[in-house]
Amino acid sequence: MPPTQTTDVRRPALIRAFAASLSGTALEWYDFAIYNVAAAVVLGPLFFPSSEPLTATLLAFSTYAVGYLSRPLGGFLFGRLGDQLGRKRVLVTTLLITGIATMLIGLLPTHAAIGGAAGVLLVVLRFAQGVGLGGEWGGAVLLSSEYGNPKQRGFWASAAQIGPPAGNLMANGVLALLGAVLSEDQFLSWGWRVAFLLSAVLVVFGLWIRLKLEETPVFKAIQERGDRPTAPISEVFRTQRRPLVAAVLCRVGPDVLYALFTVFVLTYITTQLGLPRNAGLTAVLIASGFQLFLMPLAGWLSDRVNRRVLYAGAAVCGAVWPFVFFPLIDTGSRLFLVLGIVVGLAFHAFMYGPQAAFISEQFTPRLRYTGSSLAYTLAGVIGGAVAPLVFTALLAAFDTWTLVAVYVAVACAVTLTGLYLGRDPEVEEVDQAPSSTLSVDSR
C-alpha cells in the first residue's frame, strides 16, 4: 500500500506516542524511585526513629510496600477506565496523582516535629503514589504499541519499560549530587526534600507532552465499532483467566531482581560492608544508564526471535547471578560492586524489555488496558512489594546473603512458570491490524 497523507501524519504521531510513553513513565518512576532510594538511606531515621538501624529500615520499607499494595487499586480503577474512556485521558490523571503525592512528601514534617503522625501521612502519600503508578503502566504500554506495527511491538512497547531505569537514573543522580555537595546533616535536614520537590517541574513537562497526543488508532477503531467493554474487570476474570495468570507470574522474577539491585543493595553495603551510601548510589546510576539502551535492544531483539525464549533465558541468568554477586561485593571492592549491579540489571533488562509486549499480547485489544494493568499491579504485590521486606528480614534473622539469593532464584522460577503458561502473538492479530498503522513502519 503506497503511503498516503494519513500515513505520513501517523509517523510523527507514533514518535510522539513513544516519547510520551517514555517520558511519562520516566517521570512517574522518578517519583517512585526517589522514595525507594530515600527509604533505604533517609526516611527510616527521620520518620521511624529507632535505636536499631535495621528496624528503622524495615519500617521505611513497609511504606515502600504500601506503594506496591495500592497499585492494584490503581490497576482496577484506571485499567477499567482506560478500556472504556480511552488511553490518553487516563494517563493524564495518573501523572497528576503520582506527581502531587511526591511533591507533598517533600513538604512533610518529620517525626521530630509532629511525632507518629509523620509516619501516617507518609504512608497515605505513598499509597497515593502507588494508585497513580498502578494505572500508569498498562496505558503507557498501549500508548506506544498501539500506534506501531504489531510485528514490532517488542520495540515500541519498550518505551514504557525504559521509564523505570530512566526514572531511577534521575532519582539516583539527584540524590548522589545532593549527597556530594551537602554535608550529612544538611542532607538529612532538608537536602532530601529537594529531590521530591523537583517532581513539580517534571510533572509540568509530562503533562505538556501528553495533552498534545491523540487517542491511539486501536482504541479509536474499538470505539467506532461500538465494542468498548461495559464491565472489563469481570470480563477479564471470566474469559481471560489463563492469560492473566501467565502475565502475573512472568513479572515476579524481574520485580524481585530489580528490588535487590536498586533498593536492598543500598542497605546491604552500608550495614554489612561499611561502604558509604554514595558508592551504592553511583553503582545503581551507572547500571541504570546501561539499561536505557539494553531495554529497547531487548525489545527489538524479541521481535526477531521468540519473545518467550529470550525472556526465559534472562530469567535463568537472573536466578543464578545473586550467588555470584554477593561473594563479589563481600570483598569490599567498589569495582566489583559496580560490575555486579550492572550485570544484574542487564539480566533484568532482558526480561523487562520484552515484558510489555508479552503481557499485552496475552489479552484481546478491547480488554488490554484492564488485563495488562491487573497483571502489572497484582504481580507487584507478590513480587516487588514484599521483596525488600523479605530481604531485610532474612538478613536480620540469619546474618547471611544465601537465603536472599535463594529467594531471588525462586522468584525467577515463578517467572518461568508464567512464560510456560503464556502464548505467543497470534498471526491473525497482526493480519487484522489497521493498514495505515502497518504502512508507517514498513516504509
Side-chain angles (χ1 to χ4, degrees):
M1 173 181 173
T4 64
Q5 184 177 3
T6 302
T7 61
D8 288 338
V9 173
R10 191 72 72 195
R11 168 64 75 173
L14 175 57
I15 295 173
R16 284 197 303 270
F18 187 91
S21 179
L22 168 58
S23 62
T25 52
L27 301 182
E28 293 211 23
W29 271 95
Y30 169 85
D31 294 345
F32 211 70
I34 208 73
Y35 183 96
N36 294 350
V37 177
V41 299
V42 175
L43 299 182
L46 291 180
F47 288 88
F48 307 100
S50 170
S51 57
E52 175 56 49
L54 274 179
T55 301
T57 301
L58 195 61
L59 288 170
F61 280 158
S62 296
T63 57
Y64 169 93
V66 166
Y68 277 93
L69 294 173
S70 59
R71 286 188 193 182
L73 177 60
F76 273 81
L77 174 62
F78 294 113
R80 174 178 178 273
L81 293 176
D83 281 326
Q84 292 181 321
L85 302 179
R87 295 23 170 160
K88 173 186 171 179
R89 291 164 66 181
V90 170
L91 288 172
V92 169
T93 304
T94 59
L95 184 65
L96 282 172
I97 290 173
T98 307
I100 291 172
T102 304
M103 287 184 283
L104 291 177
I105 290 176
L107 298 173
L108 272 184
T110 63
H111 185 278
I114 60 172
V120 173
L121 291 173
L122 182 63
V123 170
V124 170
L125 293 174
R126 180 62 171 173
F127 185 89
Q129 269 191 328
V131 170
L133 195 56
E136 163 74 18
W137 185 83
V141 167
L142 301 186
L143 192 65
S144 55
S145 66
E146 288 187 347
Y147 269 99
N149 186 337
K151 292 181 180 179
Q152 299 173 354
R153 182 177 289 133
F155 173 75
W156 292 112
S158 71
Q161 305 302 82
I162 304 171
N168 199 40
L169 187 67
M170 290 189 293
N172 281 279
V174 168
L175 286 175
L177 178 62
L178 291 171
V181 301
L182 299 177
S183 68
E184 188 75 13
D185 288 342
Q186 288 174 324
F187 184 80
L188 291 174
S189 175
W190 56 269
W192 64 274
R193 296 182 184 276
V194 174
F196 285 88
L197 295 175
L198 281 175
S199 180
V201 178
L202 301 176
V203 167
V204 171
F205 177 74
L207 285 175
W208 175 70
I209 293 181
R210 288 191 172 181
L211 288 171
K212 293 170 67 69
L213 281 175
E214 295 182 3
E215 189 51 78
T216 72
V218 172
F219 182 79
K220 284 182 177 179
I222 293 171
Q223 194 173 28
E224 290 171 2
R225 294 196 305 266
D227 196 28
R228 287 181 292 176
T230 56
I233 295 175
S234 62
E235 193 172 342
V236 166
F237 281 111
R238 189 175 66 253
T239 67
Q240 311 271 288
R241 285 191 291 270
R242 178 164 177 158
L244 182 61
V245 171
V248 168
L249 296 184
C250 81
R251 277 192 49 85
V252 174
D255 274 8
V256 171
L257 199 68
Y258 192 74
L260 173 66
F261 288 112
T262 62
V263 181
F264 175 74
V265 69
L266 301 177
T267 298
Y268 185 83
I269 66 167
T270 55
T271 61
Q272 301 297 304
L273 305 181
L275 292 175
R277 178 183 68 243
N278 275 349
L281 291 174
T282 301
V284 173
L285 193 69
I286 294 170
S288 295
F290 278 100
Q291 281 198 307
L292 292 179
F293 303 98
L294 292 176
M295 295 280 190
L297 172 64
W300 173 84
L301 187 60
S302 77
D303 289 325
R304 284 150 179 79
V305 301
N306 185 279
R307 211 180 316 279
R308 289 197 292 167
V309 172
L310 179 67
Y311 200 145
V316 171
C317 293
V320 173
W321 185 244
F323 293 95
V324 179
F325 171 72
F326 282 107
L328 279 178
I329 66 171
D330 278 350
T331 63
S333 167
R334 296 194 186 193
L335 176 61
F336 285 161
L337 176 64
V338 173
L339 175 65
I341 295 177
V342 167
V343 173
L345 288 183
F347 293 142
H348 172 266
F350 272 83
M351 287 187 279
Y352 203 68
Q355 183 185 94
F358 177 77
I359 289 179
S360 67
E361 287 163 351
Q362 304 309 302
F363 304 99
T364 59
R366 60 190 294 276
L367 295 172
R368 262 194 198 136
Y369 203 140
T370 301
S372 298
S373 295
L374 290 177
Y376 176 78
T377 55
L378 292 174
V381 173
I382 62 177
V386 299
L389 291 169
V390 174
F391 292 153
T392 305
L394 288 174
L395 182 64
F398 300 98
D399 195 28
T400 177
W401 56 262
T402 305
L403 291 179
V404 171
V406 170
Y407 183 72
V408 174
V410 171
C412 289
V414 171
T415 285
L416 291 172
T417 303
L419 294 172
Y420 174 78
L421 294 173
R423 70 174 178 92
D424 295 320
E426 295 178 358
V427 175
E428 293 79 5
E429 182 183 358
V430 176
D431 292 340
Q432 294 172 7
S435 58
S436 62
T437 304
L438 287 170
S439 63
V440 168
D441 298 292
S442 58
R443 280 167 36 193

